[in-house]
Amino acid sequence: MPTWTWTLPPWLKSRRCSSELCRLRWEDIEPLDECGNVRLLGKGSKHRTIRVSTDTLKLFESLGRGERGDWLFLSNKRNGPLTRQAVDARMAMWGREANVRLHPHRCRHTHPTHAIRRGVDVFTLSATLGHSSTGTTSHYVLAEPGESSSLKLG
């Protein structure tokens, strides 16, 4: 089993859609003192930089750092980067093993929901997800049954 199989789930859960993941090169990863930066190429070929934890950086480094222009996640079936379809297939397999329905977009909803529940403001979350509007971000956050803003305000 390739090393990237152990790295994908936390990375996808943390915030990225699979097409962004597949396009990562080592030159996109910038370790800093207490965290790191990852430069992403999103929709419309727009670049943005997000901060990641040192734990995420360690997961990347566990793959064995390549040259700056090398793909971070190499395909084990072809000469080039991992494909979006390969990520989908791998996650579906992990889901079957865990007896859950798992796919990358579902993980994209997990991060915003957990982030909001842990106190991350919607503006920071929107920028992290690459949304131009907080309205778009709100579609990714799942409401907690039994919760109400009225309960928080008294």
Side-chain angles (χ1 to χ4, degrees), residues 4 8 22 75-76 81-92:
W4 59 260
L8 285 181
C22 294
S75 171
N76 59 347
L82 195 61
T83 64
R84 182 185 52 78
Q85 293 83 359
V87 172
D88 292 350
R90 179 61 58 172
M91 290 190 75

Side-chain angles (χ1 to χ4, degrees), residues 2 4 22 24 26 63 70-83:
W4 59 260
C22 294
L24 281 175
W26 282 106
L63 297 171
D70 289 350
W71 298 107
L72 198 69
F73 299 104
L74 290 169
S75 171
N76 59 347
K77 293 186 178 180
R78 63 186 191 93
N79 185 20
L82 195 61
T83 64

